[in-house]
Amino acid sequence: METKILSLDSINEDKNILFEAAQIIKNGGLVVFPTETVYGLGADATNADATKQIYHAKGRPSDNPLIIHIADPKDAENYAFTNSAYYLLAERFMPGPLTVILNSKDSIPLSTRGGLDTVAVRCPADPIANELIRLSGVPIAAPSANLSGSPSPTGIDHVINDMLGRVDMIIDGGDCDFGLESTIVRIDSEDSLTLLRPGKITVNDLSAAGFNVMLANAVTEQLRDDEKALSPGMKYKHYAPKSPLVLLDGSRDNVFKYITESKEDNIAIIAYFEDMSFYSSCFPKATVLNFGNKEDKLTQAHLLFKLLRDTDKREYKTIYAPLPEEDGIGLALYNRMIRAAAHQIIRL
Ligand code: TXA
Ligand code: MG
């Protein structure tokens, strides 16, 4: 398939690009578009044939459901059964990086929602994404625009690497703002939620909006073999770089000792900015990658998937990275990194 790549810095720049993209969606085609979290691989969520093409393009198992993207929180009425908790969340966090699981209406075909009774709904804040949905006149089903198993794409080179020849159009909107996928919640009652995937909207943010928030086990733990995944995506290997990633939890001196004793030359170290020159001088043969300042979680979120993809350019014996703390946005980093590392954590 020939893929058209068009760049767009703002929605006012060239509206024709968005009209053309919307026409592709209406006709059942595939368009990759930027959002404030990661790039999405979009198709008409109400068209079963179109959403089947998404699974095909990504190589994604068909029981792993898609998020439907709407231009206005009220549009959820057409596709799902809403309630007061949904509207409270919408008022506080939408448009924005929050996805809410609701009971689905029949307007969303089973293939879009991986055969479940529920559907994931998100209203993106990114102006290109929002305008594309509005012009398409349908909800856009969109998983992250990576090949299944790879880190989500946060820059156009990632998208081109994974999706060229697999989709009709790619809209290049530059780097995504946040860099990790949306927070996903399930509504359990009027004032309680289960967090299925942490993101920019934190547990604190949700609590401050008046909700009791339970953490699904799989957010911080490995899913047991006999445990049912609350979100199908939890059971799949994810975000993995090609070389093995190991998370080290300990002081810089202990990390130094551990890496020295492991006697590996061909390694990469994802390091906080403050520690970079220390590691570069201790391990001159290692590739040392800048993960931003230790306290700057936003920069780390912005960089994580890019760094994981950068390590794929070579084969390393091991990639080492620090284990993030689990508070605030740190929980989203922790969740993505323990999965990228296949739960290989070494406490020093
Ligand atoms: O930020 C994001 O959410 C990005 C952008 C493109 O919007 N999208 C994204 O989609 O991350 P995806 O498909 O890569 O991840 C969606 C996750 C999957 O783990 C899936 O299992 C879960 O949402 N999910 C979708 N529908 C669900 C449902 N009805 N119940 C539980 N989990 C669901
Ligand atoms: Mg994904």
Side-chain angles (χ1 to χ4, degrees):
M1 175 190 295
E2 199 183 320
T3 303
K4 217 169 180 177
I5 305 174
L6 297 169
S7 12
L8 198 56
D9 287 334
S10 87
I11 52 167
N12 301 324
E13 193 181 289
D14 185 355
K15 232 1 186 327
N16 287 332
I17 293 178
L18 285 181
F19 282 126
E20 190 180 341
Q23 200 54 50
I24 293 173
I25 298 280
K26 285 183 203 174
N27 293 343
L30 300 179
V31 176
V32 175
F33 60 97
T35 83
E36 71 274 35
T37 57
V38 301
Y39 273 86
L41 164 55
D44 176 357
T46 63
N47 178 339
D49 289 334
T51 56
K52 277 184 197 143
Q53 293 306 313
I54 293 181
Y55 289 95
H56 182 71
K58 260 183 86 85
R60 178 175 179 131
S62 61
D63 68 345
N64 194 0
L66 308 174
I67 295 175
I68 69 163
H69 296 68
I70 53 180
D72 186 303
K74 287 196 298 292
D75 296 345
E77 296 298 339
N78 301 325
Y79 314 111
F81 295 94
T82 61
N83 50 34
S84 58
Y86 170 77
Y87 278 105
L88 189 58
L89 289 167
E91 194 184 307
R92 186 69 189 77
F93 303 111
M94 292 183 195
L98 180 72
T99 297
V100 183
I101 309 294
L102 296 169
N103 287 325
S104 185
K105 291 190 174 169
D106 291 340
S107 49
I108 300 299
L110 278 169
S111 64
T112 302
R113 45 191 158 105
L116 299 179
D117 294 336
T118 52
V119 62
V121 178
R122 155 155 145 77
C123 176
D126 181 283
I128 295 177
N130 203 281
E131 188 64 5
L132 174 63
I133 302 163
R134 211 181 58 75
L135 292 173
S136 302
V138 290
I140 298 186
S144 49
N146 51 287
L147 291 173
S148 199
S150 292
S152 295
T154 57
I156 191 64
D157 48 333
H158 309 159
V159 171
I160 291 173
N161 190 60
D162 284 18
M163 287 298 148
L164 195 70
R166 293 173 178 266
V167 299
D168 298 289
M169 186 191 274
I170 294 171
I171 303 175
D172 172 2
D175 283 352
C176 296
D177 180 32
F178 183 54
L180 300 176
E181 309 87 342
S182 60
T183 302
I184 305 182
V185 295
R186 184 184 75 185
I187 296 172
D188 296 326
S189 75
E190 223 169 81
D191 61 359
S192 59
L193 306 172
T194 301
L195 183 77
L196 303 182
R197 183 174 71 184
K200 189 175 187 187
I201 311 258
T202 63
V203 172
N204 265 347
D205 295 334
L206 296 164
S207 305
F211 291 98
N212 299 312
V213 185
M214 288 255 306
L215 237 60
N217 262 343
V219 169
T220 53
E221 310 284 333
Q222 191 158 17
L223 204 62
R224 292 189 315 271
D225 285 347
D226 60 346
E227 196 175 358
K228 185 176 182 310
L230 293 180
S231 177
M234 289 169 172
K235 63 180 187 242
Y236 294 107
K237 186 175 168 209
H238 224 299
Y239 315 114
K242 291 195 181 114
S243 309
L245 173 69
V246 173
L247 304 180
L248 301 178
D249 182 25
S251 68
R252 196 169 78 171
D253 286 344
N254 287 348
V255 167
F256 165 72
K257 209 160 143 245
Y258 180 85
I259 297 181
T260 307
E261 280 165 10
S262 71
K263 292 202 174 71
E264 298 162 336
D265 271 343
N266 180 24
I267 59 169
I269 305 174
I270 295 178
Y272 295 126
F273 179 72
E274 296 89 326
D275 299 332
M276 283 185 72
S277 56
F278 174 78
Y279 290 129
S280 300
S281 61
C282 298
F283 307 108
K285 290 192 186 144
T287 304
V288 180
L289 298 158
N290 181 8
F291 198 21
N293 286 315
K294 189 155 197 237
E295 298 306 322
D296 186 358
K297 299 270 191 326
L298 278 177
T299 297
Q300 291 157 31
H302 189 73
L303 288 176
L304 179 65
F305 289 152
K306 177 186 170 332
L307 291 180
L308 294 181
R309 280 181 183 257
D310 284 348
T311 63
D312 283 346
K313 291 179 188 147
R314 256 179 62 184
E315 221 174 277
Y316 293 102
K317 179 81 175 46
T318 311
I319 307 163
Y320 292 105
L323 180 74
E325 279 160 20
E326 293 167 53
D327 59 326
I329 286 170
L331 186 62
L333 287 161
Y334 183 92
N335 168 265
R336 304 314 189 274
M337 289 175 78
I338 57 172
R339 303 181 75 198
H343 299 269
Q344 284 229 69
I345 302 171
I346 295 176
R347 316 260 175 199
L348 298 166

